[in-house]
Amino acid sequence: MNEQFHDYLEKAYDFIAVYGMKVLIAIIVLIIGLWIIRRIVKTTDRVMVKRDVNVSLRGFMRSLVSILLKVLLLISIAEMVGLKTTSFIAVLGAAGLAVGLALQGTLANFAGGVMILLFKPFKVGDLIVSQGHLGTVKEIHIFVTTMLTPENKTVILPNAAVSSNDIVNYTTQGVIRVDMTFGISYASNIKDAKDTLMKIMVDHPNVLKDPAPFVGVSDLGESAVHLAVRPYAKPSDYWTVYFDVYEAGKLALDKAGVKIPFPQMDVHLNKLEK
């Protein structure tokens, strides 16, 4: 009995001699590693707060960073103790690949949402053109972006498509040019027409004084002289200026005696003598 006890005791000593120091170092590494992970997560959160990242994305990113770092820490500690982690890593990688393939579209939209929320090519309230749609951004979610068009239609765009294609943001500069064209007859006085349209823009409360509005001949059409009318406004006033200047411009031109012709064609008939 004593001999058997001594055998167990020797095996215990051997185990402690071989693994005791490794286990102690692993415990120390675990404590220090968890402390470092907490610091990294807090730093990541501070950076996201400083960049005004969406609250829901901040929580998700904190959890994701924390879980990934803890998994890497546990794998490192298992290697230090002497456990074989090759098979575990292979299984974990295969599972991750399978999940990634199954959720390929969803993950692409998530990645697109992260890019939009981090780099902010636009924000809520901006007037943008994306995927052929013009509208005001109402909400930016992790997977989709919601826009409201001038026709009061709600457009829901997947973030993968939004982030990987061209985006035109009319709000970034705080000023937008409203492009309009008026056609006047060749018999009308161009200077009178320009002065009339310029007065309409100068008197409009939503047309900016700087940059100054502009009126000029853009081209000579088949039946009309086309005037380019270019007032500047705040993005929120775009449609107000667009509709008001067109309406007031037409009424003012009529009052000034400047004719706006409709498309027409002159046909000349030559009579053939018998």
Side-chain angles (χ1 to χ4, degrees):
M1 186 71 179
N2 289 333
E3 290 182 3
Q4 190 175 8
F5 176 75
H6 283 300
D7 289 339
Y8 286 139
L9 195 60
E10 285 183 12
K11 289 180 180 179
Y13 285 143
D14 291 339
F15 180 84
I16 293 173
V18 175
Y19 294 101
M21 186 58 65
K22 291 183 179 180
V23 171
L24 180 61
I25 294 174
I27 292 172
I28 295 173
V29 171
L30 177 63
I31 294 171
I32 296 174
L34 291 174
W35 179 82
I36 293 174
I37 289 172
R38 283 196 297 271
R39 299 291 297 177
I40 292 174
V41 171
K42 287 182 179 179
T43 302
T44 303
D45 188 55
R46 282 198 298 269
V47 171
M48 290 190 292
V49 170
K50 187 175 181 180
R51 295 184 65 88
D52 195 24
V53 176
N54 185 274
V55 176
S56 58
L57 179 59
R58 289 208 306 263
F60 183 86
M61 291 300 294
R62 280 197 306 267
S63 300
L64 183 63
V65 171
S66 178
I67 291 171
L68 288 177
L69 292 177
K70 286 177 180 177
V71 169
L72 293 175
L73 177 62
L74 291 176
I75 292 174
S76 300
I77 290 174
E79 287 283 354
M80 290 175 59
V81 173
L83 299 177
K84 300 299 181 182
T85 59
T86 307
S87 300
F88 173 73
I89 295 174
V91 172
L92 191 63
L97 179 61
V99 172
L101 291 174
L103 301 176
Q104 186 175 5
T106 302
L107 292 175
N109 286 328
F110 169 74
V114 171
M115 297 294 289
I116 291 171
L117 292 169
L118 285 178
F119 294 102
K120 296 183 178 179
F122 56 84
K123 62 183 183 298
V124 173
D126 284 3
L127 179 66
I128 69 169
V129 175
S130 178
Q131 298 297 101
H133 298 283
L134 169 68
T136 302
V137 179
K138 305 305 292 183
E139 294 177 318
I140 304 173
H141 298 289
I142 293 178
F143 297 105
V144 297
T145 294
T146 303
M147 293 170 50
L148 187 66
T149 68
E151 300 86 5
N152 209 35
K153 297 177 182 178
T154 299
V155 179
I156 301 174
L157 302 174
N159 284 335
V162 175
S163 63
S164 60
N165 288 283
D166 295 341
I167 300 170
V168 180
N169 192 330
Y170 290 106
T171 308
T172 304
Q173 301 301 320
V175 174
I176 185 171
R177 192 180 74 181
V178 185
D179 292 352
M180 292 176 286
T181 301
F182 284 79
I184 63 173
S185 70
Y186 277 91
S188 296
N189 188 293
I190 293 177
K191 185 178 183 306
D192 290 345
K194 290 174 62 177
D195 291 343
T196 300
L197 293 172
M198 180 62 75
K199 186 176 187 308
I200 292 296
M201 291 188 288
V202 170
D203 291 343
H204 196 286
N206 296 122
V207 173
L208 299 176
K209 301 298 184 288
D210 185 23
F214 168 80
V215 181
V217 177
S218 59
D219 68 85
L220 303 177
E222 293 182 358
S223 59
V225 177
H226 294 140
L227 301 180
V229 179
R230 302 290 186 261
Y232 289 84
K234 294 180 180 179
S236 58
D237 297 328
Y238 179 90
W239 293 113
T240 300
V241 171
Y242 181 88
F243 292 119
D244 285 358
V245 171
Y246 258 130
E247 180 178 347
K250 169 65 168 65
L251 296 174
L253 290 176
D254 289 344
K255 188 175 180 179
V258 177
K259 297 187 178 299
I260 300 177
F262 52 86
Q264 54 187 301
M265 179 182 294
D266 293 334
V267 179
H268 300 274
L269 298 177
N270 295 323
K271 187 176 179 181
L272 297 177
E273 296 181 359
K274 293 182 180 180

